Amino acid sequence: MTEFLPHIPIEIKPYITAVLASLSCGIIGTYIVIRRLVFISGGITHASFGGIGIGYYLGWHPLAGALVAAVLSALGIEYTTRKGAMRNDSAIAIMWSLGMAIGIIFVYLTPGRPPNLMSYLFGSILVVSEAELFFLLLLDIVLITTFLVFYKPVIYVAFDRDFAKSRKYPVALIDYVMMVFIALTIVLNIRIVGIILVISLFTIPQNIANLFTLRNKPMFIFSVLISMAGTGMGIVLAGIIDVPTGATIILFLVAMYLLSRLLNRVFKI
Amino acid sequence: MSNTLIELQDIGIAYGEQVVLENINFRIVNEDFIGVIGPNGSGKTSLIRTILGEIVPFTGNMYHAPQLSIGYLPQVNHMDTKFPITVEEVVDAGFLGAGYNTAGKKNKKEKLDHLLSEFRLQDFRKRQIGTLSGGQLQKTLLARAVVSSPGLLILDEPDTYIDNEFEHELYNHLVKLNKQMAIILVSHDLGMISSYVKTIACVNKTLHHHHSHEINEELLKAYNCPIDIITHGTVPHRVLKNH
């Protein structure tokens, strides 16, 4: 299905991946941070591991399984929150551990040699396929278009849902669509830094950006740029000192955050 | 019925098995300025949410004037003041819904500028809401509620986090706005609002609409809304028992 895609030289592929990942993580991560959905996103991320396990077991591409699990858990969390059926944080924690448990069981049940789960748990930016990059590019296009066209309603509803509801605005529709975007962004970025670390791409660049701006538009743009700088430098550093790329990206981003805090305090930007 | 904006007839509200409001008969007309009072947990917020259409009553009839748009000022403590949004954007959000796509861009900007200057917010328009005082934030939210010129404005306890001086400023704004729209003001401070509102509705499981802004303690007792006289700062004033 994706044979038409051009082959990308191995030397530049990680950097293209970093740019494409930063676009989606920068945009969706900013939405996650300003709406305080970080914990929910952690739940969806870990629930997707169940899909990876089932994917292995059924012989699908593991990321296809992860996609189904992430979207279903995202919609499930949104639904239980909306219905007030149970405490939101408890629902997330259950989804979080249930996903991991299902993943472990199905990987165990899969006959033959156990698959290499490390690239999903801790990421492996160097082995991302052209097909995965193609889907990441598609996601970026959809996200950028959606945010350009519906920017104000998305931000205004995120700020005050009660008010938006009082104006008969389709708050539920926006919430569900955004949850699906969050799920897609998580799954397509799992290979960059892995399930365990992907949440940091949604939070660290955004919190660095927030140190320098209190406005929403610059926060989106800065987050994308900081994410690009962080992932790019992480790849370079990991190559030089020969350590895992995903973890290096996160360490570099945290260092950027601490340095930014310091600069912010010293120069009162 | 011609000037009726909203009418509730024998409305009952319940959360699961628990009945919160019953036998509610309440009519809101064009020029109304109604103070809604009642002790904590009396169902004031449920009444508001019913009028906004967020809660579906288990019994009774409800009439909404066609095309009626409602401006709503929620309680400030529900706001995320860390949210990266400016005063100007918050007020612009008031065009969401009915008026958002229909009002022309230029028209919207004129109205927004006019309101910001009327509410003396123009110097703060680019400020993030977390950097405002309680009063400035409240004015910003009021500007959002009225920027699209709704037929009915509902305010849920706008007096919670503001000082006395600003409270008077706010209520004077409301008196002016009442020339263009009906207003429902939920408050627990009867002493303060009674000199601004035209009529008073006492809510405690059911609703008594008292068609005057002057009300005595016997009547309040009869309406099941007993009050106390307490002292906030130096000025003694009347507040609801159990508030």
Side-chain angles (χ1 to χ4, degrees), chain A residues 36 156 160 167-168 216, chain B residues 52 80 84 92 100 144 148:
Chain A
R36 299 175 187 261
Y156 294 167
D160 188 350
R167 305 312 297 259
K168 306 272 177 273
N216 50 60
Chain B
L52 289 172
D80 177 3
D92 185 53
Y100 198 79
R144 177 182 67 171
S148 63

Side-chain angles (χ1 to χ4, degrees), chain B residues 187-205:
Chain B
S187 174
H188 52 252
D189 195 341
L190 177 61
M192 184 62 115
I193 64 166
S194 60
S195 39
Y196 296 94
V197 299
K198 292 176 182 164
T199 62
I200 291 169
C202 303
V203 179
N204 200 358
K205 269 235 165 176

